[in-house]
Amino acid sequence: RLVAADEVSVGVGLARLLVDRTLVIDRVVVRDTVVEVRQLDGGGWWIQGARAEELLSAPKGNGGQLGDIEVVGEDIELRFLQPGDERPRFIDVPRVQLRRDDKKITLDALARLPDELGRSLDLSAIQLLGVPKSQRSWDVSVEIRGVNLVEVAEMSGDRITTLTSGTGNIDASLVYATGAVQGATASLDFGDVTFEGGEGFDVEGRVEYGRFSDGWLVAAEELIVDTGFGRKAPASLRVQTSSNTDGETVMLDVRASDLDLADAGLFLPWVPEERRAEIEAYTANGIVRELTLTLSDLHRIKPKFNVTADVADLGFAAVGKWPGIRGLTGVMRGSNTSGNIDIASTDVIITSSGMFPEP
Protein backbone atom coordinates (compact mmCIF):
# COMPACT_ATOMS: atom_id res chain seq x y z
CA ARG A 1 0.00 0.00 0.00
CA LEU A 2 2.39 2.59 -1.29
CA VAL A 3 1.79 5.80 -3.19
CA ALA A 4 4.72 7.40 -5.03
CA ALA A 5 4.42 10.55 -7.09
CA ASP A 6 6.69 13.05 -8.80
CA GLU A 7 3.87 15.58 -8.62
CA VAL A 8 0.92 15.57 -6.25
CA SER A 9 -2.05 16.69 -8.34
CA VAL A 10 -5.69 17.34 -7.57
CA GLY A 11 -6.40 13.70 -8.22
CA VAL A 12 -4.73 12.64 -4.99
CA GLY A 13 -4.18 15.81 -2.94
CA LEU A 14 -1.52 15.13 -0.32
CA ALA A 15 -3.12 17.25 2.39
CA ARG A 16 -6.57 15.73 1.88
CA LEU A 17 -5.07 12.27 1.65
CA LEU A 18 -3.52 12.64 5.09
CA VAL A 19 -6.57 14.25 6.68
CA ASP A 20 -9.42 12.24 5.18
CA ARG A 21 -7.55 8.92 4.70
CA THR A 22 -10.06 7.97 2.03
CA LEU A 23 -7.50 5.51 0.70
CA VAL A 24 -5.93 2.83 2.86
CA ILE A 25 -2.27 3.73 2.49
CA ASP A 26 0.66 3.00 4.78
CA ARG A 27 3.36 4.97 2.98
CA VAL A 28 3.39 8.05 0.78
CA VAL A 29 6.50 9.10 -1.17
CA VAL A 30 6.55 12.49 -2.85
CA ARG A 31 9.42 13.60 -5.10
CA ASP A 32 10.33 16.80 -6.93
CA THR A 33 7.31 18.80 -5.94
CA VAL A 34 6.38 22.14 -4.34
CA VAL A 35 4.84 22.55 -0.88
CA GLU A 36 3.54 25.90 0.35
CA VAL A 37 3.81 26.69 4.04
CA ARG A 38 2.08 29.86 5.19
CA GLN A 39 2.21 31.49 8.62
CA LEU A 40 -1.09 33.08 9.58
CA ASP A 41 -1.62 36.41 11.34
CA GLY A 42 -2.93 34.66 14.44
CA GLY A 43 0.14 32.45 14.73
CA GLY A 44 -1.29 29.32 13.08
CA TRP A 45 0.08 27.56 10.01
CA TRP A 46 -1.33 26.40 6.66
CA ILE A 47 0.35 23.60 4.73
CA GLN A 48 -0.91 23.12 1.18
CA GLY A 49 -4.19 24.82 2.04
CA ALA A 50 -4.86 22.79 5.19
CA ARG A 51 -4.24 23.70 8.81
CA ALA A 52 -1.14 22.02 10.18
CA GLU A 53 -3.01 20.47 13.09
CA GLU A 54 -5.45 18.83 10.68
CA LEU A 55 -2.64 16.93 8.99
CA LEU A 56 -1.78 15.22 12.25
CA SER A 57 -5.24 14.80 13.73
CA ALA A 58 -7.30 11.67 13.62
CA PRO A 59 -9.95 11.39 10.87
CA LYS A 60 -13.64 11.43 11.66
CA GLY A 61 -14.16 7.91 10.44
CA ASN A 62 -12.50 4.67 11.49
CA GLY A 63 -13.37 5.31 15.12
CA GLY A 64 -11.09 8.33 15.20
CA GLN A 65 -8.01 6.14 14.70
CA LEU A 66 -5.51 7.41 12.16
CA GLY A 67 -3.49 4.23 12.01
CA ASP A 68 0.12 3.90 10.96
CA ILE A 69 1.41 6.05 8.12
CA GLU A 70 4.76 7.24 6.81
CA VAL A 71 5.21 10.25 4.54
CA VAL A 72 8.54 10.71 2.78
CA GLY A 73 9.45 13.79 0.77
CA GLU A 74 12.48 13.90 -1.50
CA ASP A 75 13.80 16.98 -3.30
CA ILE A 76 10.96 19.20 -2.13
CA GLU A 77 10.81 22.94 -2.79
CA LEU A 78 9.32 24.63 0.24
CA ARG A 79 7.68 28.00 -0.39
CA PHE A 80 7.54 29.80 2.94
CA LEU A 81 5.31 32.82 3.42
CA GLN A 82 4.81 35.07 6.44
CA PRO A 83 2.21 37.81 6.96
CA GLY A 84 3.16 40.79 4.81
CA ASP A 85 5.45 38.87 2.46
CA GLU A 86 5.07 39.84 -1.19
CA ARG A 87 6.98 36.79 -2.37
CA PRO A 88 7.89 33.50 -0.68
CA ARG A 89 11.27 32.33 0.52
CA PHE A 90 12.40 29.21 -1.30
CA ILE A 91 13.90 26.43 0.82
CA ASP A 92 15.26 23.21 -0.69
CA VAL A 93 14.45 20.09 1.32
CA PRO A 94 16.46 17.07 0.09
CA ARG A 95 14.58 14.75 2.45
CA VAL A 96 11.83 14.91 5.03
CA GLN A 97 10.19 11.98 6.79
CA LEU A 98 7.09 11.96 8.97
CA ARG A 99 5.92 8.84 10.76
CA ARG A 100 2.82 8.35 12.84
CA ASP A 101 1.46 5.40 14.75
CA ASP A 102 -0.86 5.09 17.72
CA LYS A 103 1.93 5.97 20.17
CA LYS A 104 3.89 8.84 18.62
CA ILE A 105 4.55 11.18 15.74
CA THR A 106 8.13 11.70 14.56
CA LEU A 107 9.50 14.19 12.06
CA ASP A 108 13.01 14.40 10.59
CA ALA A 109 14.02 16.94 7.98
CA LEU A 110 17.15 18.33 6.34
CA ALA A 111 16.95 21.64 4.50
CA ARG A 112 19.27 23.87 2.50
CA LEU A 113 18.49 27.44 3.49
CA PRO A 114 18.37 30.44 1.16
CA ASP A 115 21.70 32.26 0.97
CA GLU A 116 20.32 35.26 2.85
CA LEU A 117 19.29 33.07 5.81
CA GLY A 118 22.16 30.64 6.21
CA ARG A 119 23.48 27.29 5.00
CA SER A 120 21.56 24.35 6.43
CA LEU A 121 18.95 23.26 8.94
CA ASP A 122 18.63 19.78 10.47
CA LEU A 123 15.44 19.19 12.47
CA SER A 124 14.03 16.29 14.50
CA ALA A 125 10.78 16.34 16.46
CA ILE A 126 8.65 13.87 18.38
CA GLN A 127 5.23 14.00 20.01
CA LEU A 128 3.96 11.23 22.29
CA LEU A 129 0.26 10.44 21.89
CA GLY A 130 -0.35 8.44 25.07
CA VAL A 131 -1.64 11.48 26.98
CA PRO A 132 -4.70 13.75 26.57
CA LYS A 133 -4.43 16.32 23.77
CA SER A 134 -4.26 19.20 26.24
CA GLN A 135 -1.07 17.69 27.73
CA ARG A 136 0.74 16.85 24.51
CA SER A 137 3.94 18.61 23.53
CA TRP A 138 6.58 18.55 20.83
CA ASP A 139 10.20 17.81 21.76
CA VAL A 140 12.26 19.44 19.03
CA SER A 141 15.98 19.38 18.26
CA VAL A 142 17.41 21.69 15.61
CA GLU A 143 20.87 22.41 14.23
CA ILE A 144 21.35 25.53 12.10
CA ARG A 145 24.62 26.28 10.35
CA GLY A 146 25.75 29.66 9.02
CA VAL A 147 22.63 31.46 10.25
CA ASN A 148 22.31 35.16 9.38
CA LEU A 149 21.20 36.88 12.59
CA VAL A 150 19.90 40.00 10.85
CA GLU A 151 17.53 38.07 8.57
CA VAL A 152 16.36 35.74 11.34
CA ALA A 153 15.60 38.69 13.62
CA GLU A 154 13.45 40.25 10.90
CA MET A 155 11.64 36.96 10.21
CA SER A 156 10.84 36.47 13.90
CA GLY A 157 9.29 39.94 14.11
CA ASP A 158 12.00 41.31 16.43
CA ARG A 159 13.02 44.38 14.44
CA ILE A 160 16.43 45.02 15.93
CA THR A 161 17.19 47.79 13.47
CA THR A 162 20.65 48.48 14.93
CA LEU A 163 21.88 44.92 14.32
CA THR A 164 23.93 45.15 11.14
CA SER A 165 25.80 41.82 11.00
CA GLY A 166 26.33 38.48 12.67
CA THR A 167 26.54 34.86 11.56
CA GLY A 168 27.04 31.57 13.34
CA ASN A 169 25.71 28.22 14.46
CA ILE A 170 22.87 27.16 16.75
CA ASP A 171 22.27 23.76 18.36
CA ALA A 172 18.96 23.90 20.21
CA SER A 173 16.42 21.70 21.97
CA LEU A 174 12.99 22.97 22.88
CA VAL A 175 9.57 21.94 24.16
CA TYR A 176 6.57 23.37 22.32
CA ALA A 177 3.09 23.06 23.85
CA THR A 178 -0.20 24.99 24.04
CA GLY A 179 0.90 27.25 21.20
CA ALA A 180 4.16 28.49 22.77
CA VAL A 181 7.73 27.45 23.60
CA GLN A 182 7.66 26.20 27.18
CA GLY A 183 11.37 25.55 27.54
CA ALA A 184 14.54 25.68 25.47
CA THR A 185 18.28 25.22 25.71
CA ALA A 186 20.71 26.24 22.99
CA SER A 187 24.43 26.33 22.34
CA LEU A 188 25.39 29.45 20.39
CA ASP A 189 28.52 30.38 18.47
CA PHE A 190 28.27 33.72 16.63
CA GLY A 191 30.95 35.80 14.96
CA ASP A 192 31.20 39.41 13.81
CA VAL A 193 28.09 40.51 15.70
CA THR A 194 27.84 44.25 15.09
CA PHE A 195 25.37 46.94 16.00
CA GLU A 196 25.12 50.22 14.16
CA GLY A 197 27.95 52.50 15.27
CA GLY A 198 29.59 49.81 17.43
CA GLU A 199 32.53 47.44 17.22
CA GLY A 200 32.09 43.84 16.18
CA PHE A 201 32.44 40.99 18.67
CA ASP A 202 32.21 37.20 18.86
CA VAL A 203 30.04 35.42 21.41
CA GLU A 204 29.57 31.81 22.38
CA GLY A 205 27.87 29.97 25.20
CA ARG A 206 24.79 28.10 26.30
CA VAL A 207 21.43 29.73 27.00
CA GLU A 208 18.32 28.36 28.69
CA TYR A 209 14.71 29.47 28.88
CA GLY A 210 11.91 28.02 30.95
CA ARG A 211 8.27 29.01 31.21
CA PHE A 212 6.32 27.66 34.17
CA SER A 213 2.87 28.05 35.65
CA ASP A 214 4.36 30.12 38.49
CA GLY A 215 7.15 32.07 36.77
CA TRP A 216 9.95 31.94 34.22
CA LEU A 217 13.70 31.36 33.98
CA VAL A 218 16.38 32.83 31.70
CA ALA A 219 20.00 31.74 32.01
CA ALA A 220 23.33 31.93 30.19
CA GLU A 221 26.22 29.61 31.01
CA GLU A 222 29.81 29.38 29.74
CA LEU A 223 29.26 32.75 28.08
CA ILE A 224 32.36 34.13 26.36
CA VAL A 225 32.42 37.52 24.65
CA ASP A 226 35.50 38.29 22.54
CA THR A 227 35.90 41.93 21.52
CA GLY A 228 39.33 41.42 19.98
CA PHE A 229 41.28 42.15 23.16
CA GLY A 230 41.62 38.56 24.29
CA ARG A 231 39.19 35.96 25.55
CA LYS A 232 37.92 36.25 29.11
CA ALA A 233 36.79 33.75 31.73
CA PRO A 234 33.40 32.18 30.91
CA ALA A 235 30.59 34.09 32.59
CA SER A 236 27.19 32.97 33.81
CA LEU A 237 23.92 34.76 34.48
CA ARG A 238 20.65 33.34 35.80
CA VAL A 239 17.37 35.20 36.35
CA GLN A 240 14.27 33.48 37.75
CA THR A 241 10.88 34.73 38.88
CA SER A 242 8.00 33.32 40.90
CA SER A 243 4.39 34.44 40.84
CA ASN A 244 1.33 33.86 43.02
CA THR A 245 -2.05 32.44 42.04
CA ASP A 246 -3.15 35.91 40.88
CA GLY A 247 -0.31 36.05 38.36
CA GLU A 248 1.62 38.73 40.27
CA THR A 249 5.41 38.45 40.37
CA VAL A 250 6.36 37.99 44.02
CA MET A 251 10.03 37.00 43.79
CA LEU A 252 13.02 37.76 41.58
CA ASP A 253 16.27 35.81 41.96
CA VAL A 254 19.47 36.80 40.13
CA ARG A 255 22.73 34.84 40.15
CA ALA A 256 25.90 35.77 38.22
CA SER A 257 29.59 34.93 38.11
CA ASP A 258 32.61 36.36 36.25
CA LEU A 259 30.38 38.91 34.57
CA ASP A 260 32.21 41.80 32.85
CA LEU A 261 29.92 44.81 33.08
CA ALA A 262 31.63 46.46 30.11
CA ASP A 263 30.53 43.55 27.91
CA ALA A 264 26.94 43.98 29.05
CA GLY A 265 26.88 47.30 27.21
CA LEU A 266 27.30 45.46 23.90
CA PHE A 267 23.74 44.17 24.25
CA LEU A 268 22.08 47.49 25.09
CA PRO A 269 20.30 47.65 21.70
CA TRP A 270 17.91 44.99 23.04
CA VAL A 271 16.93 47.27 25.91
CA PRO A 272 13.86 49.48 25.24
CA GLU A 273 14.95 52.91 24.08
CA GLU A 274 13.31 54.70 27.01
CA ARG A 275 15.48 52.69 29.45
CA ARG A 276 18.66 52.56 27.40
CA ALA A 277 19.79 56.13 28.18
CA GLU A 278 19.31 55.56 31.92
CA ILE A 279 21.59 52.52 31.86
CA GLU A 280 24.20 54.17 29.65
CA ALA A 281 24.45 57.11 32.08
CA TYR A 282 26.02 54.88 34.74
CA THR A 283 28.87 53.76 32.39
CA ALA A 284 29.34 50.71 34.60
CA ASN A 285 32.51 48.61 34.39
CA GLY A 286 34.38 46.05 36.45
CA ILE A 287 34.00 42.34 37.11
CA VAL A 288 31.19 40.77 39.14
CA ARG A 289 32.95 37.66 40.41
CA GLU A 290 29.90 36.39 42.31
CA LEU A 291 26.42 37.86 42.71
CA THR A 292 23.37 36.61 44.59
CA LEU A 293 20.36 38.92 44.65
CA THR A 294 16.89 38.00 45.88
CA LEU A 295 13.92 40.36 45.84
CA SER A 296 10.82 39.05 47.57
CA ASP A 297 7.33 40.28 48.46
CA LEU A 298 7.38 42.32 45.24
CA HIS A 299 3.60 42.53 45.26
CA ARG A 300 3.63 44.28 48.65
CA ILE A 301 4.22 47.94 49.50
CA LYS A 302 7.60 47.21 51.08
CA PRO A 303 9.48 44.47 49.20
CA LYS A 304 12.41 42.69 50.80
CA PHE A 305 15.88 42.20 49.38
CA ASN A 306 19.01 40.25 50.16
CA VAL A 307 22.23 40.70 48.18
CA THR A 308 25.80 39.47 48.26
CA ALA A 309 28.26 40.69 45.64
CA ASP A 310 31.96 39.94 45.21
CA VAL A 311 33.34 42.54 42.78
CA ALA A 312 36.69 43.55 41.31
CA ASP A 313 37.52 47.08 40.10
CA LEU A 314 33.85 48.02 40.10
CA GLY A 315 32.92 51.46 38.84
CA PHE A 316 29.91 53.50 37.81
CA ALA A 317 29.22 57.20 37.30
CA ALA A 318 27.32 59.49 39.65
CA VAL A 319 23.72 59.89 38.47
CA GLY A 320 21.29 62.24 40.20
CA LYS A 321 21.40 61.72 43.93
CA TRP A 322 23.38 58.49 43.60
CA PRO A 323 27.16 58.86 44.06
CA GLY A 324 29.65 57.39 41.62
CA ILE A 325 32.50 55.06 42.48
CA ARG A 326 35.64 53.73 40.77
CA GLY A 327 38.15 51.05 41.65
CA LEU A 328 36.10 49.17 44.24
CA THR A 329 37.22 45.62 44.99
CA GLY A 330 35.59 43.69 47.80
CA VAL A 331 32.49 41.94 49.07
CA MET A 332 29.18 43.71 49.69
CA ARG A 333 26.35 42.26 51.72
CA GLY A 334 23.00 43.86 52.37
CA SER A 335 19.36 43.32 53.23
CA ASN A 336 16.35 45.29 54.44
CA THR A 337 17.74 45.34 57.95
CA SER A 338 21.55 45.56 57.64
CA GLY A 339 24.53 45.80 55.33
CA ASN A 340 28.32 45.90 55.23
CA ILE A 341 31.20 46.19 52.76
CA ASP A 342 34.56 44.44 53.08
CA ILE A 343 36.86 46.58 50.91
CA ALA A 344 40.04 45.00 49.58
CA SER A 345 41.24 47.98 47.50
CA THR A 346 43.15 51.08 48.59
CA ASP A 347 42.49 53.49 45.71
CA VAL A 348 38.69 53.75 45.68
CA ILE A 349 37.34 57.02 44.24
CA ILE A 350 33.88 58.28 45.20
CA THR A 351 32.25 61.14 43.31
CA SER A 352 29.11 63.10 44.15
CA SER A 353 28.45 66.71 43.16
CA GLY A 354 26.10 67.13 46.12
CA MET A 355 28.40 65.62 48.75
CA PHE A 356 31.98 66.21 47.58
CA PRO A 357 33.26 69.23 45.61
CA GLU A 358 36.09 67.03 44.27
CA PRO A 359 36.54 63.24 43.83
Side-chain angles (χ1 to χ4, degrees):
R1 293 180 292 182
L2 169 68
V3 169
D6 292 334
E7 180 179 353
V8 179
S9 67
V10 70
V12 183
L14 177 60
R16 292 295 101 199
L17 176 65
L18 295 178
V19 174
D20 297 337
R21 298 298 304 275
T22 54
L23 301 176
V24 180
I25 295 173
D26 298 321
R27 193 168 189 259
V28 179
V29 180
V30 182
R31 301 186 181 93
D32 301 317
T33 193
V34 174
V35 176
E36 182 181 284
V37 177
R38 184 182 295 268
Q39 184 181 12
L40 305 179
D41 287 319
W45 297 86
W46 284 86
I47 301 177
Q48 288 294 88
R51 288 190 173 274
E53 57 267 26
E54 291 181 2
L55 298 179
L56 302 175
S57 62
K60 295 180 180 179
N62 194 31
Q65 298 298 316
L66 183 61
D68 299 351
I69 188 170
E70 178 185 22
V71 180
V72 178
E74 297 175 349
D75 298 322
I76 306 297
E77 181 183 272
L78 195 66
R79 296 181 179 177
F80 180 71
L81 287 148
Q82 291 182 288
D85 284 351
E86 296 182 356
R87 59 185 300 274
R89 288 181 171 89
F90 299 93
I91 300 174
D92 294 328
V93 183
R95 183 173 177 83
V96 58
Q97 182 179 49
L98 184 146
R99 294 179 177 177
R100 169 161 181 159
D101 55 34
D102 293 335
K103 295 181 179 179
K104 63 183 181 299
I105 303 170
T106 62
L107 174 66
D108 296 283
L110 176 63
R112 290 190 292 266
L113 299 176
D115 292 340
E116 66 272 17
L117 284 182
R119 293 197 304 269
S120 64
L121 181 150
D122 192 349
L123 180 144
S124 297
I126 183 171
Q127 183 184 72
L128 301 180
L129 303 177
V131 296
K133 286 185 177 181
S134 61
Q135 300 177 21
R136 293 178 187 174
S137 63
W138 282 98
D139 293 318
V140 182
S141 297
V142 60
E143 297 179 4
I144 309 177
R145 295 293 176 261
V147 61
N148 185 326
L149 298 181
V150 178
E151 291 293 328
V152 171
E154 292 181 356
M155 283 185 62
S156 65
D158 295 328
R159 307 294 181 178
I160 307 175
T161 56
T162 58
L163 182 61
T164 58
S165 70
T167 58
N169 304 321
I170 302 174
D171 295 327
S173 299
L174 60 91
V175 177
Y176 185 88
T178 62
V181 176
Q182 304 298 319
T185 59
S187 295
L188 312 176
D189 186 0
F190 298 138
D192 192 28
V193 180
T194 308
F195 295 96
E196 185 176 349
E199 298 293 331
F201 62 94
D202 300 339
V203 59
E204 63 180 85
R206 186 177 68 256
V207 296
E208 179 183 357
Y209 166 75
R211 180 182 176 185
F212 316 108
S213 60
D214 60 347
W216 52 262
L217 163 72
V218 176
E221 301 287 345
E222 300 294 319
L223 188 65
I224 299 176
V225 178
D226 188 350
T227 57
F229 296 98
R231 292 165 67 90
K232 304 171 184 176
S236 67
L237 176 65
R238 182 184 181 91
V239 181
Q240 186 171 3
T241 69
S242 294
S243 57
N244 58 21
T245 55
D246 295 326
E248 299 173 307
T249 300
V250 298
M251 188 274 291
L252 173 68
D253 187 77
V254 180
R255 307 291 175 99
S257 64
D258 296 316
L259 191 65
D260 191 329
L261 298 180
D263 290 341
L266 298 171
F267 302 94
L268 276 177
W270 271 290
V271 178
E273 187 173 353
E274 62 272 14
R275 298 295 182 187
R276 196 180 308 162
E278 298 177 12
I279 298 174
E280 289 177 330
Y282 286 95
T283 60
N285 56 41
I287 306 296
V288 178
R289 294 186 292 210
E290 291 290 340
L291 170 67
T292 301
L293 169 64
T294 302
L295 304 177
S296 57
D297 291 343
L298 294 176
H299 60 309
R300 302 185 185 278
I301 297 176
K302 294 183 178 181
K304 299 177 182 178
F305 75 92
N306 194 301
V307 60
T308 300
D310 183 353
V311 300
D313 200 23
L314 176 68
F316 50 84
V319 177
K321 298 180 180 180
W322 293 95
I325 193 167
R326 295 295 173 193
L328 175 63
T329 297
V331 179
M332 298 175 285
R333 300 179 180 87
S335 67
N336 294 71
T337 57
S338 64
N340 64 77
I341 302 178
D342 296 329
I343 299 177
S345 52
T346 58
D347 53 354
V348 179
I349 299 175
I350 299 176
T351 58
S352 174
S353 58
M355 298 173 61
F356 311 110
E358 296 181 1

